[in-house]
Amino acid sequence: AQSVTQPDIHITVSEGASLELRCNYSYGATPYLFWYVQSPGQGLQLLLKYFSGDTLVQGIKGFEAEFKRSQSSFNLRKPSVHWSDAAEYFCAVGAGDDKIIFGKGTRLHILP
Amino acid sequence: DTAVSQTPKYLVTQMGNDKSIKCEQNLGHDTMYWYKQDSKKFLKIMFSYNNKELIINETVPNRFSPKSPDKAHLNLHINSLELGDSAVYFCASSQVEASPLHFGNGTRLTVT
């Protein structure tokens, strides 16, 4: 069965600094991979997805993620964070059986 | 124009009561889901319906019963509510297998 690990529960960065949120997955074949963002009191919004092809995917709000099969990772990056990026970020994996499994989330805090 | 809408947004009720949460999507998607998010933000899939047919039923107490009158609607009925049912319940929809999920804004259920 597939699983997702987000090793960092909280991450704090200064506004304008770069960001990397880690995600590792466990699945026997090539998974479908997603990053979602959840602002307080809101549902989850898709930032980006990887299905196949180019391993560096671009998403909304200036985010990108890189699929590294050898490391079973799909880390999320942003070169310069804004205060409005403070939120909960979820990595998720899908395995073609209509079941998408979510990691436990990383809460991003932004220092002014 | 809301893509996935769920009602109510907040639900406060006493133990032992029965309550329902409604969800509707206007995206024309074939698959709908219910996820439960606990106080630690962990998102766990509960049910998935494809074109009105139940396809995923995780280990959820049988007090929880989903109903899909048509492929645009997926309601969740909960009998004999318990304190541990307190959580945020998210409805979501997707086109086909493992395609990105579109989430509603959640229903915060508080059982007292």
Side-chain angles (χ1 to χ4, degrees):
Chain A
Q2 66 268 37
S3 66
V4 181
T5 302
Q6 292 181 247
D8 303 305
I9 299 174
H10 295 273
I11 290 272
T12 301
V13 297
S14 298
E15 190 168 17
S18 63
L19 170 71
E20 182 168 33
L21 301 183
R22 296 184 290 166
C23 173
N24 293 97
Y25 67 90
S26 172
Y27 182 59
T30 300
Y32 305 118
L33 294 161
F34 309 88
W35 274 99
Y36 288 83
V37 61
Q38 184 181 25
S39 298
Q42 301 294 315
L44 280 74
Q45 181 185 21
L46 179 71
L47 283 176
L48 47 78
K49 62 183 185 287
Y50 172 78
F51 281 7
S52 64
D54 194 346
T55 56
L56 184 64
V57 293
Q58 303 296 321
I60 62 171
K61 304 185 183 190
F63 286 93
E64 66 178 26
E66 186 170 12
F67 169 58
K68 292 186 177 179
R69 185 190 302 275
S70 60
Q71 298 175 21
S72 298
S73 68
F74 189 57
N75 294 348
L76 182 72
R77 300 194 294 248
K78 186 169 184 178
S80 176
V81 297
H82 185 262
W83 64 266
S84 60
D85 293 325
E88 191 90 24
Y89 290 80
F90 293 92
C91 182
V93 59
D97 59 355
D98 282 313
K99 188 188 294 188
I100 294 181
I101 304 299
F102 285 82
K104 295 192 175 182
T106 297
R107 172 68 64 88
L108 176 63
H109 304 271
I110 307 291
L111 295 175
Chain B
D1 202 20
T2 306
V4 181
S5 59
Q6 47 183 117
T7 55
K9 188 171 174 65
Y10 299 98
L11 189 50
V12 181
T13 188
Q14 292 184 326
M15 284 175 55
N17 285 348
D18 303 338
K19 289 294 178 186
S20 292
I21 307 172
K22 295 186 175 182
C23 179
E24 175 182 2
Q25 55 97 3
N26 62 7
L27 296 166
H29 288 166
D30 289 330
T31 309
M32 295 185 73
Y33 308 79
W34 279 108
Y35 278 84
K36 178 180 180 180
Q37 186 175 46
D38 63 23
S39 58
K40 296 188 177 176
K41 300 290 187 180
F42 182 50
L43 267 168
K44 185 171 166 52
I45 190 168
M46 300 173 70
F47 301 104
S48 167
Y49 268 74
N50 183 277
N51 209 4
K52 301 194 297 175
E53 185 179 333
L54 180 66
I55 53 173
I56 292 175
N57 184 352
E58 293 295 289
T59 49
V60 177
N62 58 14
R63 298 183 293 105
F64 290 79
S65 52
K67 290 231 171 27
S68 181
D70 55 62
K71 76 172 196 176
H73 295 84
L74 180 62
N75 303 324
L76 183 65
H77 188 76
I78 316 169
N79 289 326
S80 303
L81 278 155
E82 300 178 357
L83 292 176
D85 298 332
S86 296
V88 181
Y89 292 85
F90 284 99
C91 178
S93 71
S94 69
Q95 187 56 276
V96 290
E97 55 181 85
S99 58
L101 297 171
H102 294 254
F103 282 86
N105 283 334
T107 295
R108 182 174 293 277
L109 171 65
T110 303
V111 183
T112 62

